[in-house]
Amino acid sequence: MKKNLFVIGLVSILLVAFATVVVFATHNKKEEKNLTTKVEEQIDYIEDKIIAMMNHLNQIRFSNSVLTEKRVEEKEKESQQNQQESSKTEEENANKSSSTEGENSQKQEQTSSSEDSIQYEIKSNSILNNANPEIDWEYMKTSTEMMYFSWPSMLVDLNELKVKNEDILSFSTTLDKITMAVKQEDKTTTLNNLASLYSLLPLYRSQISQNHNAIYIDFTKACVLNSYALVEQEKWQEAKEQLQNANTYFSNIMNSIEEKEQSQISKIYVLLNELSQSLTYEEKELFFIKYRNAMEGLIHF
């Protein structure tokens, strides 16, 4: 009887222990999944930030138009009749004392100043009409600093997910290089380092995710951004090699997607080939037009 009770007790303990292990393992797996989702969202944020900064350096926008603003003076009421009335008023005021003239002059200046306003207008977003864009370095500096706010949390999470330490350290080093280049307002070096920073993100995703298509898309975009940075330096052959790599990565997706997405995939494939073909002419603006189309397709896939 005692032996039976001992056996029953031992079995109960083992069952409780097994259940605890299962619950603990399930909990850990759920926690890891939540952390992976969090890191992928962080990667998405950094990707968007880098692409926006690189595009800004050549005023490349994905929309067909852009809203601009400028400070202007209110339109003068200068019909022929008003001009005549103004002339008469000036003649009458000429007979007044100099002190009165001073007061009137001051009032006119205040009125003119108060009539300044902001005027908004929608302009066509044309690359050909903006061949020598003015860079807003204040925007670049602010955007760079914003990445420093999000990076520490992402660094800790990547470490917890066992991403290679050298890949993590490379991000910090490259971000520092971007900061120095932006401070010096060095367009070419900034572009190169932003492209290098983006190239790290597919490495992170490939170590934490099983979504192979998302990984291939990331590698494709990284190659396209590398080619963009190289074209800025007129390194046409190296840019072509990067786009060949982009096509290789993208080809891995073509046979693994649902039928409803085939038309979109085919469109991006054509845009990537057109982008590569544009290098034949060695014209930056032509490349930027094709780059805008291809990158927009990849982002919205």
Side-chain angles (χ1 to χ4, degrees):
M1 181 69 178
K2 290 182 178 180
K3 186 177 180 180
N4 290 339
L5 289 173
F6 175 77
V7 171
I8 292 171
L10 182 61
V11 170
S12 298
I13 292 171
L14 291 173
L15 287 173
V16 170
F18 177 76
T20 302
V21 170
V22 170
V23 170
F24 184 75
T26 303
H27 177 74
N28 281 352
K29 198 171 182 76
K30 184 177 180 181
E31 286 293 314
E32 184 177 340
K33 183 178 180 181
N34 290 339
L35 185 59
T36 299
T37 301
K38 177 187 173 185
V39 172
E40 289 199 271
E41 289 174 353
Q42 292 170 330
I43 291 173
D44 290 340
Y45 169 78
I46 297 293
E47 285 179 343
D48 291 343
K49 181 66 67 179
I50 292 173
I51 292 172
M53 290 175 70
M54 292 185 70
N55 286 351
H56 178 77
L57 289 170
N58 282 298
Q59 295 299 312
I60 297 172
R61 299 180 178 88
F62 294 137
S63 60
N64 291 324
S65 58
V66 58
L67 181 67
T68 63
E69 65 176 50
K70 61 179 179 179
R71 186 170 294 278
V72 295
E73 292 183 1
E74 200 71 29
K75 289 183 178 180
E76 296 180 1
K77 301 174 182 179
E78 52 179 4
S79 65
Q80 203 69 20
Q81 181 180 357
N82 286 343
Q83 286 181 4
Q84 293 173 355
E85 291 177 357
S86 179
S87 296
K88 290 179 182 178
T89 302
E90 288 177 3
E91 290 176 2
E92 293 173 358
N93 288 340
N95 297 323
K96 294 183 179 180
S97 66
S98 59
S99 60
T100 305
E101 288 178 352
E103 290 175 1
N104 288 340
S105 176
Q106 185 177 11
K107 288 179 182 178
Q108 287 175 358
E109 288 177 1
Q110 290 173 346
T111 303
S112 176
S113 175
S114 66
E115 288 175 347
D116 285 354
S117 63
I118 299 296
Q119 184 180 78
Y120 295 92
E121 59 182 337
I122 296 176
K123 290 186 176 181
S124 174
N125 178 26
S126 171
I127 290 174
L128 293 179
N129 287 331
N130 198 26
N132 296 300
E134 181 179 346
I135 299 171
D136 183 354
W137 285 106
E138 290 303 314
Y139 163 81
M140 296 297 296
K141 292 169 186 176
T142 301
S143 297
T144 301
E145 287 190 43
M146 286 176 66
M147 284 196 280
Y148 278 103
F149 286 110
S150 57
W151 172 237
S153 173
M154 186 174 169
L155 183 153
V156 172
D157 294 339
L158 289 170
N159 266 311
E160 192 167 340
L161 291 172
K162 311 300 181 188
V163 171
K164 292 178 182 178
N165 193 49
E166 58 267 30
D167 292 338
I168 297 174
L169 291 176
S170 292
F171 191 101
S172 295
T173 303
T174 308
L175 183 55
D176 289 345
K177 290 179 180 179
I178 292 169
T179 303
M180 290 184 286
V182 168
K183 180 183 177 182
Q184 296 167 6
E185 300 187 359
D186 184 336
K187 178 182 179 182
T188 301
T189 305
T190 299
L191 264 176
N192 286 340
N193 285 309
L194 283 169
S196 296
L197 192 68
Y198 192 99
S199 296
L200 294 168
L201 302 179
L203 296 179
Y204 300 156
R205 201 185 292 274
S206 65
Q207 294 176 61
I208 66 173
S209 175
Q210 298 299 316
N211 187 342
H212 299 295
N213 284 349
I215 294 168
Y216 288 134
I217 285 288
D218 270 4
F219 275 115
T220 302
K221 288 191 286 187
C223 292
V224 171
L225 291 172
N226 283 334
S227 72
Y228 170 33
L230 290 164
V231 163
E232 180 65 32
Q233 304 164 73
E234 299 187 1
K235 295 182 178 180
W236 305 104
Q237 183 56 41
E238 292 179 47
K240 185 175 182 179
E241 290 168 4
Q242 285 294 324
L243 290 180
Q244 288 171 347
N245 293 336
N247 271 299
T248 300
Y249 282 119
F250 194 73
S251 296
N252 291 316
I253 302 173
M254 300 192 69
N255 296 323
S256 61
I257 61 167
E258 298 179 9
E259 187 175 347
K260 63 180 181 180
E261 296 176 316
Q262 283 289 348
S263 60
Q264 189 177 1
I265 283 289
S266 298
K267 178 182 177 181
I268 296 173
Y269 184 75
V270 169
L271 291 174
L272 285 173
N273 279 289
E274 286 194 357
L275 179 61
S276 183
Q277 183 63 30
S278 71
L279 294 174
T280 305
Y281 301 98
E282 298 187 357
E283 288 285 345
K284 286 185 183 181
E285 285 72 28
L286 176 60
F287 175 87
F288 292 159
I289 292 171
K290 299 296 183 74
Y291 157 82
R292 180 177 60 187
N293 293 339
M295 183 57 73
E296 189 170 19
L298 287 166
I299 287 173
H300 293 136
F301 175 68

